[in-house]
Protein backbone atom coordinates (compact mmCIF):
# COMPACT_ATOMS: atom_id res chain seq x y z
CA UNK A 1 0.00 0.00 0.00
CA UNK A 2 3.00 2.28 0.42
CA UNK A 3 3.32 2.51 -3.34
CA UNK A 4 -0.02 4.34 -3.50
CA UNK A 5 1.28 7.08 -1.22
CA UNK A 6 4.47 7.46 -3.21
CA UNK A 7 2.56 7.66 -6.45
CA UNK A 8 0.14 10.19 -4.99
CA UNK A 9 2.81 12.53 -3.71
CA UNK A 10 5.36 12.03 -6.47
CA UNK A 11 3.14 11.55 -9.51
CA UNK A 12 0.72 14.40 -9.06
CA UNK A 13 -2.22 15.29 -6.88
CA UNK A 14 -3.44 12.27 -4.81
CA UNK A 15 -6.82 10.96 -5.93
CA UNK A 16 -9.87 9.79 -4.05
CA UNK A 17 -9.13 6.24 -5.24
CA UNK A 18 -5.62 6.37 -3.74
CA UNK A 19 -7.03 7.49 -0.40
CA UNK A 20 -9.53 4.63 -0.53
CA UNK A 21 -6.77 2.10 -1.28
CA UNK A 22 -4.56 3.43 1.51
CA UNK A 23 -7.45 3.23 4.02
CA UNK A 24 -8.66 -0.12 2.72
CA UNK A 25 -12.19 1.12 2.10
CA UNK A 26 -14.36 1.94 -0.88
CA UNK A 27 -14.34 5.23 -2.78
CA UNK A 28 -17.87 6.07 -1.58
CA UNK A 29 -16.81 5.67 2.04
CA UNK A 30 -13.98 8.17 1.54
CA UNK A 31 -16.43 10.58 -0.10
CA UNK A 32 -18.82 10.29 2.85
CA UNK A 33 -16.04 11.01 5.35
CA UNK A 34 -14.79 14.05 3.42
CA UNK A 35 -18.32 15.44 3.14
CA UNK A 36 -19.02 14.95 6.84
CA UNK A 37 -21.65 12.24 6.53
CA UNK A 38 -22.68 10.69 9.87
CA UNK A 39 -23.16 7.30 8.17
CA UNK A 40 -19.56 6.23 8.87
CA UNK A 41 -18.20 4.49 11.96
CA UNK A 42 -15.63 6.26 14.10
CA UNK A 43 -13.03 3.56 13.32
CA UNK A 44 -13.52 3.90 9.56
CA UNK A 45 -13.47 7.68 9.78
CA UNK A 46 -10.13 7.51 11.62
CA UNK A 47 -8.66 5.23 8.91
CA UNK A 48 -9.76 7.60 6.13
CA UNK A 49 -8.55 10.71 7.93
CA UNK A 50 -5.16 9.06 8.51
CA UNK A 51 -4.90 8.18 4.81
CA UNK A 52 -5.85 11.73 3.83
CA UNK A 53 -3.12 13.11 6.09
CA UNK A 54 -0.45 10.64 4.89
CA UNK A 55 -1.11 11.27 1.21
CA UNK A 56 -1.68 15.02 1.56
CA UNK A 57 -5.01 14.66 -0.22
CA UNK A 58 -6.87 17.92 -0.89
CA UNK A 59 -10.57 17.59 -1.83
CA UNK A 60 -11.48 18.98 -5.23
CA UNK A 61 -13.98 21.57 -4.04
CA UNK A 62 -14.82 22.65 -7.58
CA UNK A 63 -15.84 19.10 -8.51
CA UNK A 64 -17.82 18.74 -5.29
CA UNK A 65 -19.62 22.00 -5.93
CA UNK A 66 -20.39 20.98 -9.52
CA UNK A 67 -21.81 17.67 -8.37
CA UNK A 68 -24.04 19.52 -5.90
CA UNK A 69 -25.06 22.07 -8.57
CA UNK A 70 -23.27 24.81 -6.64
CA UNK A 71 -20.43 27.25 -7.31
CA UNK A 72 -19.31 27.81 -3.71
CA UNK A 73 -19.24 31.54 -4.45
CA UNK A 74 -21.17 34.46 -2.96
CA UNK A 75 -21.39 37.89 -4.60
CA UNK A 76 -21.43 41.08 -2.55
CA UNK A 77 -23.07 43.54 -4.93
CA UNK A 78 -22.78 47.28 -4.30
CA UNK A 79 -24.98 49.42 -6.61
CA UNK A 80 -22.82 52.48 -5.96
CA UNK A 81 -19.73 54.04 -7.57
CA UNK A 82 -16.43 52.62 -6.32
CA UNK A 83 -15.48 56.07 -4.99
CA UNK A 84 -18.35 56.00 -2.50
CA UNK A 85 -17.54 52.45 -1.42
CA UNK A 86 -13.98 53.39 -0.43
CA UNK A 87 -14.94 56.78 1.07
CA UNK A 88 -17.59 55.62 3.54
CA UNK A 89 -16.72 53.44 6.56
CA UNK A 90 -20.14 51.77 6.39
CA UNK A 91 -19.05 49.64 3.45
CA UNK A 92 -15.70 48.55 4.89
CA UNK A 93 -17.38 47.59 8.18
CA UNK A 94 -20.00 45.59 6.29
CA UNK A 95 -17.29 43.84 4.24
CA UNK A 96 -15.41 43.00 7.44
CA UNK A 97 -18.50 41.36 8.96
CA UNK A 98 -19.24 39.40 5.79
CA UNK A 99 -15.63 38.22 5.51
CA UNK A 100 -15.57 37.09 9.13
CA UNK A 101 -18.76 35.07 8.67
CA UNK A 102 -17.38 33.35 5.58
CA UNK A 103 -13.95 32.62 7.03
CA UNK A 104 -15.00 29.20 8.38
CA UNK A 105 -16.67 28.12 5.13
CA UNK A 106 -15.40 27.13 1.70
CA UNK A 107 -17.35 29.95 0.07
CA UNK A 108 -15.48 32.49 -2.05
CA UNK A 109 -16.56 36.13 -1.88
CA UNK A 110 -16.81 38.25 -5.02
CA UNK A 111 -17.09 42.04 -4.71
CA UNK A 112 -19.05 43.50 -7.61
CA UNK A 113 -19.86 47.17 -8.25
CA UNK A 114 -23.05 47.95 -10.16
CA UNK A 115 -23.37 51.72 -10.02
CA UNK A 116 -23.99 52.32 -13.73
CA UNK A 117 -26.39 50.91 -16.32
CA UNK A 118 -23.49 49.20 -18.08
CA UNK A 119 -22.28 47.58 -14.87
CA UNK A 120 -25.81 46.42 -14.02
CA UNK A 121 -26.20 44.81 -17.44
CA UNK A 122 -22.86 43.06 -17.11
CA UNK A 123 -23.93 41.84 -13.66
CA UNK A 124 -27.26 40.60 -15.03
CA UNK A 125 -25.45 38.52 -17.67
CA UNK A 126 -23.06 37.15 -15.06
CA UNK A 127 -25.80 36.16 -12.63
CA UNK A 128 -27.98 34.70 -15.38
CA UNK A 129 -25.18 32.18 -15.99
CA UNK A 130 -25.60 31.10 -12.32
CA UNK A 131 -21.96 31.66 -11.47
CA UNK A 132 -22.73 32.35 -7.81
CA UNK A 133 -24.86 30.55 -5.23
CA UNK A 134 -26.27 33.71 -3.70
CA UNK A 135 -26.07 37.48 -3.55
CA UNK A 136 -25.69 40.04 -0.78
CA UNK A 137 -27.04 43.38 -1.95
CA UNK A 138 -25.79 46.43 -0.04
CA UNK A 139 -27.07 50.03 -0.24
CA UNK A 140 -30.30 49.47 -2.15
CA UNK A 141 -32.32 52.38 -3.53
CA UNK A 142 -36.08 52.29 -3.94
CA UNK A 143 -35.99 52.18 -7.74
CA UNK A 144 -33.08 49.75 -8.02
CA UNK A 145 -33.94 46.95 -10.51
CA UNK A 146 -31.41 44.50 -9.05
CA UNK A 147 -33.62 42.94 -6.31
CA UNK A 148 -36.39 42.14 -8.79
CA UNK A 149 -33.83 40.76 -11.24
CA UNK A 150 -32.48 38.42 -8.55
CA UNK A 151 -36.01 37.25 -7.78
CA UNK A 152 -36.67 36.54 -11.46
CA UNK A 153 -33.44 34.56 -11.73
CA UNK A 154 -34.41 32.66 -8.55
CA UNK A 155 -31.03 33.41 -7.00
CA UNK A 156 -31.00 33.42 -3.17
CA UNK A 157 -30.47 37.00 -1.98
CA UNK A 158 -30.32 39.04 1.20
CA UNK A 159 -30.29 42.84 1.21
CA UNK A 160 -28.93 45.29 3.77
CA UNK A 161 -32.11 47.13 4.60
CA UNK A 162 -35.53 46.82 2.94
CA UNK A 163 -36.56 48.98 -0.01
CA UNK A 164 -39.89 49.71 1.70
CA UNK A 165 -42.19 48.47 4.44
CA UNK A 166 -43.49 45.90 1.92
CA UNK A 167 -40.08 44.32 1.19
CA UNK A 168 -40.33 40.78 -0.23
CA UNK A 169 -36.66 39.77 0.00
CA UNK A 170 -34.91 38.77 3.21
CA UNK A 171 -33.21 41.83 4.72
CA UNK A 172 -31.02 42.82 7.65
CA UNK A 173 -31.02 46.38 8.93
CA UNK A 174 -30.47 48.46 12.04
CA UNK A 175 -33.29 50.28 13.84
CA UNK A 176 -33.09 53.50 11.84
CA UNK A 177 -36.26 54.91 13.35
CA UNK A 178 -35.26 54.19 16.94
CA UNK A 179 -31.71 55.40 16.40
CA UNK A 180 -32.94 58.74 15.07
CA UNK A 181 -35.38 59.14 17.95
CA UNK A 182 -32.61 58.54 20.48
CA UNK A 183 -30.41 61.13 18.79
CA UNK A 184 -33.10 63.82 18.88
CA UNK A 185 -34.22 62.95 22.42
CA UNK A 186 -30.60 63.29 23.51
CA UNK A 187 -30.40 66.77 21.98
CA UNK A 188 -33.70 67.76 23.56
CA UNK A 189 -32.40 66.54 26.90
CA UNK A 190 -29.43 68.86 26.50
CA UNK A 191 -31.79 71.81 26.19
CA UNK A 192 -31.66 72.16 22.40
CA UNK A 193 -34.93 73.19 20.80
CA UNK A 194 -34.11 74.31 17.24
CA UNK A 195 -32.84 70.99 15.95
CA UNK A 196 -32.12 70.60 12.24
CA UNK A 197 -31.76 67.36 10.29
CA UNK A 198 -29.53 66.62 7.30
CA UNK A 199 -31.01 63.53 5.69
CA UNK A 200 -29.43 60.72 3.74
CA UNK A 201 -30.56 59.88 0.23
CA UNK A 202 -34.32 59.79 0.49
CA UNK A 203 -34.67 57.00 -2.06
CA UNK A 204 -33.13 54.78 0.64
CA UNK A 205 -35.75 53.45 3.05
CA UNK A 206 -33.39 53.64 6.03
CA UNK A 207 -32.92 57.38 5.44
CA UNK A 208 -36.69 57.84 5.30
CA UNK A 209 -37.05 56.05 8.64
CA UNK A 210 -34.45 58.33 10.21
CA UNK A 211 -36.53 61.32 9.10
CA UNK A 212 -39.61 59.68 10.65
CA UNK A 213 -37.76 59.13 13.93
CA UNK A 214 -36.55 62.75 13.93
CA UNK A 215 -40.05 64.12 13.31
CA UNK A 216 -41.79 61.91 15.87
CA UNK A 217 -39.27 62.65 18.62
CA UNK A 218 -39.82 66.40 18.16
CA UNK A 219 -43.60 66.04 17.95
CA UNK A 220 -43.80 63.90 21.08
CA UNK A 221 -41.76 66.52 22.96
CA UNK A 222 -44.17 69.26 21.90
CA UNK A 223 -41.91 70.74 19.21
CA UNK A 224 -43.38 69.77 15.84
CA UNK A 225 -40.74 69.57 13.08
CA UNK A 226 -40.33 72.60 10.84
CA UNK A 227 -39.71 71.64 7.20
CA UNK A 228 -37.25 74.54 6.95
CA UNK A 229 -35.09 72.66 9.45
CA UNK A 230 -34.80 69.59 7.19
CA UNK A 231 -32.31 69.55 4.32
CA UNK A 232 -31.72 66.65 1.95
CA UNK A 233 -28.25 65.14 1.88
CA UNK A 234 -26.72 62.09 0.25
CA UNK A 235 -24.61 60.53 3.04
CA UNK A 236 -21.48 62.23 1.65
CA UNK A 237 -19.17 64.80 3.23
CA UNK A 238 -19.75 67.36 0.49
CA UNK A 239 -23.49 66.79 0.79
CA UNK A 240 -23.25 67.50 4.51
CA UNK A 241 -21.31 70.71 3.91
CA UNK A 242 -23.74 72.10 1.33
CA UNK A 243 -26.81 71.06 3.34
CA UNK A 244 -25.43 72.73 6.47
CA UNK A 245 -24.76 75.91 4.53
CA UNK A 246 -28.34 75.93 3.24
CA UNK A 247 -29.74 75.36 6.73
CA UNK A 248 -27.72 78.22 8.20
CA UNK A 249 -29.00 80.55 5.51
CA UNK A 250 -32.62 79.61 6.21
CA UNK A 251 -32.46 79.20 9.97
CA UNK A 252 -29.40 80.95 11.41
CA UNK A 253 -30.89 80.48 14.90
CA UNK A 254 -30.61 76.66 14.85
CA UNK A 255 -28.86 75.23 17.90
CA UNK A 256 -28.42 71.56 17.00
CA UNK A 257 -28.02 69.27 13.99
CA UNK A 258 -28.73 65.57 13.60
CA UNK A 259 -26.87 64.26 10.54
CA UNK A 260 -27.82 61.00 8.82
CA UNK A 261 -24.22 59.70 8.83
CA UNK A 262 -20.87 60.48 10.41
CA UNK A 263 -19.47 61.40 7.00
CA UNK A 264 -22.33 63.88 6.55
CA UNK A 265 -21.67 65.25 10.06
CA UNK A 266 -18.02 65.83 9.12
CA UNK A 267 -19.15 67.97 6.19
CA UNK A 268 -21.61 69.86 8.41
CA UNK A 269 -18.82 70.53 10.90
CA UNK A 270 -16.74 72.22 8.19
CA UNK A 271 -19.65 74.49 7.25
CA UNK A 272 -20.37 75.36 10.88
CA UNK A 273 -16.74 76.32 11.50
CA UNK A 274 -16.62 78.40 8.33
CA UNK A 275 -19.69 80.23 9.66
CA UNK A 276 -17.97 80.85 12.99
CA UNK A 277 -20.22 78.47 14.96
CA UNK A 278 -18.65 76.63 17.90
CA UNK A 279 -19.43 72.96 18.53
CA UNK A 280 -21.19 72.27 20.88
CA UNK A 281 -21.40 75.76 22.47
CA UNK A 282 -23.39 77.31 19.63
CA UNK A 283 -24.55 74.22 17.74
CA UNK A 284 -24.62 70.64 19.04
CA UNK A 285 -23.88 67.96 16.45
CA UNK A 286 -24.88 64.27 16.30
CA UNK A 287 -24.02 61.77 13.57
CA UNK A 288 -24.98 58.22 12.69
CA UNK A 289 -22.88 55.00 12.32
CA UNK A 290 -20.34 55.54 15.15
CA UNK A 291 -17.49 55.03 12.68
CA UNK A 292 -13.82 55.85 13.17
CA UNK A 293 -14.66 59.31 11.81
CA UNK A 294 -16.79 60.00 14.88
CA UNK A 295 -13.99 59.14 17.28
CA UNK A 296 -11.37 61.20 15.45
CA UNK A 297 -13.37 64.38 14.86
CA UNK A 298 -12.62 67.54 16.84
CA UNK A 299 -14.56 67.58 19.05
CA UNK A 300 -15.31 63.83 19.08
CA UNK A 301 -18.74 63.22 17.58
CA UNK A 302 -21.78 61.91 19.42
CA UNK A 303 -23.16 59.25 17.11
CA UNK A 304 -25.76 56.51 16.80
CA UNK A 305 -23.95 53.18 16.68
CA UNK A 306 -25.42 50.65 14.33
CA UNK A 307 -23.86 47.16 14.48
CA UNK A 308 -22.66 47.11 10.87
CA UNK A 309 -20.28 44.16 11.21
CA UNK A 310 -22.99 42.16 12.96
CA UNK A 311 -25.36 43.07 10.12
CA UNK A 312 -22.85 41.60 7.66
CA UNK A 313 -22.55 38.39 9.69
CA UNK A 314 -26.32 38.02 9.98
CA UNK A 315 -26.73 38.58 6.25
CA UNK A 316 -24.32 35.72 5.53
CA UNK A 317 -26.07 33.41 8.01
CA UNK A 318 -29.44 34.05 6.37
CA UNK A 319 -28.05 33.77 2.85
CA UNK A 320 -26.30 30.46 3.49
CA UNK A 321 -29.55 29.13 4.96
CA UNK A 322 -31.36 30.15 1.77
CA UNK A 323 -28.66 28.59 -0.41
CA UNK A 324 -29.00 25.31 1.50
CA UNK A 325 -32.82 25.37 1.21
CA UNK A 326 -33.69 23.07 -1.68
CA UNK A 327 -37.39 23.84 -1.73
CA UNK A 328 -38.88 25.57 -4.80
CA UNK A 329 -38.55 29.39 -4.62
CA UNK A 330 -42.32 29.84 -4.25
CA UNK A 331 -42.28 27.67 -1.14
CA UNK A 332 -39.48 29.73 0.43
CA UNK A 333 -41.21 33.10 0.03
CA UNK A 334 -43.22 32.61 3.22
CA UNK A 335 -39.96 32.33 5.17
CA UNK A 336 -38.56 35.70 4.09
CA UNK A 337 -37.28 37.51 7.16
CA UNK A 338 -36.86 41.20 8.00
CA UNK A 339 -34.20 41.32 10.72
CA UNK A 340 -33.78 44.62 12.60
CA UNK A 341 -30.83 45.03 14.99
CA UNK A 342 -30.79 47.49 17.89
CA UNK A 343 -28.82 50.74 17.82
CA UNK A 344 -27.06 52.61 20.63
CA UNK A 345 -26.33 56.29 21.16
CA UNK A 346 -22.66 56.92 21.96
CA UNK A 347 -22.29 60.30 23.66
CA UNK A 348 -19.18 62.41 23.05
CA UNK A 349 -18.16 66.05 23.28
CA UNK A 350 -19.94 67.34 20.15
CA UNK A 351 -23.31 67.47 21.94
Amino acid sequence: MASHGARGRGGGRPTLEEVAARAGVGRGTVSRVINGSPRVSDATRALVEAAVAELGYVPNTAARALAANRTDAIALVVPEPETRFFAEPYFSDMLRGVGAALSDTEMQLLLIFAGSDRERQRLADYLAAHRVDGVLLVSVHADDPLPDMLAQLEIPAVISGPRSAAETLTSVDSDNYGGARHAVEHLLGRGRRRIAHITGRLDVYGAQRRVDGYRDALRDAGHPADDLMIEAGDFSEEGGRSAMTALLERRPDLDAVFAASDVTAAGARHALREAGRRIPDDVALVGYDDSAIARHMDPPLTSVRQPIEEMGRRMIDLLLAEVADRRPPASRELDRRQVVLATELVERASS
Side-chain angles (χ1 to χ4, degrees):
M1 290 201 299
S3 62
H4 290 290
R7 184 166 64 250
R9 285 192 288 267
R13 177 172 176 163
T15 66
L16 201 68
E17 288 77 10
E18 289 173 327
V19 174
R22 171 60 64 92
V25 299
R27 185 181 187 279
T29 300
V30 174
S31 179
R32 284 192 290 275
V33 171
I34 290 173
N35 287 287
S37 171
R39 298 178 354 202
V40 182
S41 70
D42 291 342
T44 300
R45 187 182 307 280
L47 284 172
V48 172
E49 290 175 347
V52 166
E54 290 170 12
L55 291 174
Y57 175 75
V58 178
N60 187 336
T61 55
R64 288 165 57 193
L66 183 62
N69 194 28
R70 284 175 43 183
T71 65
D72 280 349
I74 295 293
L76 175 64
V77 177
V78 184
E80 299 284 358
E82 291 182 40
T83 50
R84 186 182 169 203
F85 179 88
F86 291 107
E88 296 186 23
Y90 173 88
F91 294 106
S92 59
D93 289 346
M94 177 68 70
L95 185 58
R96 194 156 41 242
V98 167
L102 283 179
S103 62
D104 292 332
T105 75
E106 294 182 348
M107 288 286 188
Q108 298 295 313
L109 180 65
L110 307 177
L111 177 60
I112 301 175
F113 295 101
S116 66
D117 290 340
R118 181 180 179 183
E119 288 174 333
R120 278 191 290 272
Q121 184 56 55
R122 191 162 59 229
L123 173 64
D125 295 340
Y126 185 82
L127 295 179
H130 291 278
R131 292 176 177 170
V132 297
D133 293 325
V135 172
L136 300 174
L137 195 52
V138 179
S139 186
V140 186
H141 304 286
D143 59 352
D144 198 316
L146 290 177
D148 292 334
M149 180 187 74
L150 294 171
Q152 291 169 3
L153 292 172
E154 298 185 350
I155 296 177
V158 177
I159 59 178
S160 65
R163 290 165 290 173
S164 71
E167 181 57 68
T168 56
L169 292 178
T170 295
S171 70
V172 178
D173 204 359
S174 70
D175 183 4
N176 293 288
Y177 176 85
R181 279 198 68 115
H182 291 157
V184 175
E185 287 166 356
H186 166 73
L187 290 168
L188 289 166
R190 294 294 175 91
R192 310 293 171 148
R193 293 295 178 266
R194 298 177 298 280
I195 303 170
H197 178 41
I198 301 175
T199 77
R201 288 188 55 164
L202 292 177
D203 59 348
V204 174
Y205 185 61
Q208 298 172 23
R209 293 298 288 153
R210 291 176 199 179
V211 175
D212 293 341
Y214 161 83
R215 287 182 175 277
D216 288 354
L218 287 175
R219 182 202 62 208
D220 292 349
H223 306 283
D226 179 353
D227 286 343
L228 294 179
M229 296 286 271
I230 301 174
E231 182 67 19
D234 58 3
F235 294 115
S236 72
E237 183 173 357
E238 184 52 41
R241 184 197 292 261
S242 60
M244 190 71 253
T245 299
L247 284 167
L248 287 171
E249 289 176 354
R250 285 203 306 268
R251 290 296 304 267
D253 61 334
L254 62 85
D255 62 7
V257 178
F258 165 49
S261 74
D262 292 346
V263 176
T264 295
R269 169 181 160 274
H270 285 300
L272 287 167
R273 288 195 165 177
E274 288 170 357
R277 306 299 176 91
R278 297 168 299 165
I279 302 172
D281 305 70
D282 302 321
V283 179
L285 182 62
V286 175
Y288 204 106
D289 288 336
D290 190 38
S291 63
I293 290 173
R295 297 188 294 275
H296 296 147
M297 276 179 58
D298 179 23
L301 180 68
T302 294
S303 183
V304 177
R305 175 182 295 163
Q306 56 174 340
I308 301 172
E309 289 190 37
E310 175 62 18
M311 288 166 61
R313 288 191 289 269
R314 292 291 293 275
M315 287 177 71
I316 284 292
D317 291 344
L318 291 169
L319 182 61
L320 293 182
E322 290 204 11
V323 169
D325 192 338
R326 297 300 181 183
R327 290 178 299 165
S331 301
R332 298 197 300 261
E333 287 181 2
L334 295 176
D335 294 336
R336 299 293 190 235
R337 297 181 59 190
Q338 312 300 321
V339 176
V340 179
L341 302 180
T343 58
E344 175 189 0
L345 184 72
V346 180
E347 298 181 20
R348 298 191 178 93
S350 70
S351 62

